[in-house]
């Protein structure tokens, strides 16, 4: 293997082509507030996971919760990283699809851009009542426990295969896992 080191004669070159125009966030027709616009979005798309006692790393229940994470929430919904949804729409509509519409994503961005106004407490929808049963998926037919894996606070985490300590003797469909 031979390596050649030399200076690049032209480190940058202007090229012909089209300019890329990124889609900006449209201006709202009315003032976007947490109580009237953002709270319902959080309730319908985020709070199932982002509340106390769940796997999500923080809550998105109150104004303070959401405003404290506002910039990040706007970024992850704009990039479609949240809410997580991996099913392909080519296979039809799924009743439990938590995805946000383009209008909802824009509403969150507009709210953050406007400084995250709270709004009138009278506009706040009633809180969602979550039942906290032992199993969030309903009583299971079978419980399998796997080995635990330590997750470091930072750095690289190699992919882990989870092996179920059970042999299924016939074709088996899994409806839900928790």
């Amino acid at each position: 293997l031979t390596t050649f080191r030399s200076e690049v004669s032209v480190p940058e070159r202007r090229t012909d082509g089209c300019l890329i125009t990124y889609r900006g966030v449209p201006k709202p027709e009315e003032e976007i507030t947490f109580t009237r616009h953002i709270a319902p979005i959080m309730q319908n798309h985020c709070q199932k996971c982002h509340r106390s006692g769940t796997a999500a790393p923080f809550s998105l229940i109150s104004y303070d919760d959401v405003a404290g994470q506002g910039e990040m929430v706007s970024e992850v919904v704009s990039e479609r990283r949240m809410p997580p949804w991996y099913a392909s729409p080519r296979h039809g509509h799924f009743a439990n699809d938590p995805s946000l519409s383009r209008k909802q994503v824009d509403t969150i961005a507009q709210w953050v851009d406007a400084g995250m106004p709270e709004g009138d407490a009278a506009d706040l929808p009633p809180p969602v009542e979550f039942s906290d049963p032992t199993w969030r998926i309903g009583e299971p037919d079978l419980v399998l426990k796997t080995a635990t894996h330590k997750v470091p606070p930072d750095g690289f985490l190699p992919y882990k295969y989870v092996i179920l300590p059970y042999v299924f003797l016939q074709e088996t469909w899994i409806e839900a896992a928790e």
Side-chain angles (χ1 to χ4, degrees), residues 68-129:
Q69 304 288 344
E71 295 281 342
M72 182 189 52
V73 168
S74 181
E75 176 185 316
V76 298
V77 300
S78 293
E79 293 177 356
R80 301 293 186 176
R81 289 187 282 146
M82 285 288 157
W85 185 249
Y86 306 106
S88 173
R90 294 182 312 171
H91 302 291
H93 173 74
F94 293 85
N96 61 338
D97 180 356
S99 300
L100 298 173
S101 69
R102 178 82 251 163
K103 182 171 177 23
Q104 290 168 322
V105 169
D106 289 346
T107 298
I108 293 169
Q110 291 164 345
W111 176 69
V112 170
D113 288 350
M116 298 178 273
E118 186 170 7
D120 185 351
D123 292 333
L124 195 62
V128 175
E129 295 291 327

Side-chain angles (χ1 to χ4, degrees), residues 45-65:
H45 299 274
C46 307
Q47 291 179 1
K48 181 178 179 185
C49 296
H50 284 274
R51 60 190 169 91
S52 173
T54 64
F58 52 85
S59 176
L60 291 175
I61 300 292
S62 70
Y63 168 77
D64 289 336
D65 293 341

